[in-house]
């Protein structure tokens, strides 16, 4: 019999111990004795663990949970508002990711920020900043995009701007990552509406 469980700290009491060279995930497997009509053997408990070298050369499973529903922002005039969505894709912006899609660290995904009802009155959507944080209330933030371009510590292999500030949809290609000591990563974006083309010129 083979059992598969995701390697997530605190999931079903999974614990992770890290030293200078390895990370070890451990838990306990319980097998309860049959009781018909009486129990004649003890329940069985077995300690289980698996160890991986650091840096991790294995894929850690993560799951993308996209926010359902749009966020509303105001337009240039106070009586107009627009709906904006962040959508994740495992491919070339064709199939959206679902909650059940498995992802691994280093997998390539694409992210689109869309404003479908933006009327083309010389207005373009631009994503100015993107940052990742462990939770919504966390004060810890990791900048991915600053002033429309990848942050200084972000390589082209981790984040690429495919289009930004030239229409009602902004597109990025990125690698799946995991924030140290966290099971979640929340992406937040600061956006702007521009009159005319406001594409950023990013240095290589």
């Amino acid at each position: 019999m083979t059992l598969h469980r995701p390697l997530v700290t605190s999931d079903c009491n999974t614990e992770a111990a890290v030293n200078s060279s390895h990370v070890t995930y451990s838990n306990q497997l319980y097998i309860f004795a049959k009781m018909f009509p009486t129990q004649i053997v003890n329940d069985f408990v077995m300690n289980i663990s698996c160890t991986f070298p650091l840096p991790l050369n294995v894929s850690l499973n993560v799951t993308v949970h996209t926010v359902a529903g749009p966020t509303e922002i105001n337009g240039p005039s106070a009586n107009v508002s627009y709906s904006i969505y962040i959508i994740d894709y495992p491919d070339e912006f064709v199939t959206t990711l679902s909650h059940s899609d498995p992802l691994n660290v280093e997998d390539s995904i694409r992210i689109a920020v869309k404003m479908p009802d933006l009327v083309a009155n010389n207005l373009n959507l631009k994503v100015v900043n993107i940052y990742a944080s462990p939770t919504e209330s966390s004060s810890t933030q990791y900048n991915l995009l600053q002033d429309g371009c990848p942050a200084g510590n972000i390589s082209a292999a981790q984040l690429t701007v495919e289009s930004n500030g030239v229409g009602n949809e902004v597109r990025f290609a990125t690698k799946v990552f995991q924030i140290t000591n966290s099971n979640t990563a929340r992406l937040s974006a600061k956006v702007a509406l521009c009159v005319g083309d406001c594409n950023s010129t990013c240095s290589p």
Side-chain angles (χ1 to χ4, degrees):
M1 180 172 61
T2 302
L3 303 177
H4 294 273
R5 290 294 303 170
L7 295 177
V8 179
T9 302
S10 77
D11 180 49
C12 280
N13 297 321
T14 298
E15 296 181 353
V18 182
N19 60 27
S20 60
S21 61
H22 290 79
V23 56
T24 299
Y25 293 89
S26 60
N27 208 324
Q28 288 185 315
L29 174 64
Y30 287 80
I31 300 177
F32 296 99
K34 291 182 179 180
M35 301 177 63
F36 56 91
T38 59
Q39 179 176 339
I40 59 174
V41 295
N42 288 322
D43 296 336
F44 179 76
V45 182
M46 181 173 64
N47 294 320
I48 56 175
S49 64
C50 51
T51 301
F52 300 105
L54 294 174
L56 291 178
N57 56 5
V58 297
S59 296
L60 299 179
N61 294 329
V62 296
T63 303
V64 169
H65 294 279
T66 55
V67 176
T71 296
E72 299 288 331
I73 67 171
N74 292 327
S77 58
N79 59 348
V80 177
S81 63
Y82 299 98
S83 298
I84 187 167
Y85 301 79
I86 297 181
I87 305 172
D88 309 299
Y89 302 85
D91 49 32
E92 297 285 342
F93 301 98
V94 177
T95 307
T96 57
L97 279 169
S98 71
H99 288 250
S100 59
D101 287 333
L103 289 175
N104 300 311
V105 170
E106 293 187 0
D107 278 356
S108 295
I109 63 170
R110 283 171 168 79
I111 298 174
V113 182
K114 292 186 177 182
M115 193 174 285
D117 51 355
L118 182 64
V119 182
N121 292 330
N122 291 325
L123 290 178
N124 292 305
L125 175 66
K126 179 175 182 176
V127 175
V128 182
N129 297 333
I130 293 179
Y131 66 88
S133 54
T135 63
E136 183 177 4
S137 59
S138 175
S139 60
T140 302
Q141 297 181 359
Y142 301 95
N143 291 318
L144 302 177
L145 191 81
Q146 291 180 302
D147 297 324
C149 296
N153 61 330
I154 301 298
S155 67
Q158 184 174 347
L159 178 70
T160 303
V161 180
E162 298 195 358
S163 65
N164 193 6
V166 293
N168 68 343
E169 181 178 343
V170 179
R171 290 183 168 186
F172 305 96
T174 186
K175 296 283 190 180
V176 175
F177 61 90
Q178 184 175 22
I179 297 176
T180 304
N181 298 324
S182 177
N183 296 328
T184 61
R186 177 184 175 88
L187 290 183
S188 301
K190 179 181 179 181
V191 302
L193 291 179
C194 309
V195 176
D197 186 351
C198 56
N199 188 23
S200 298
T201 302
C202 302
S203 58

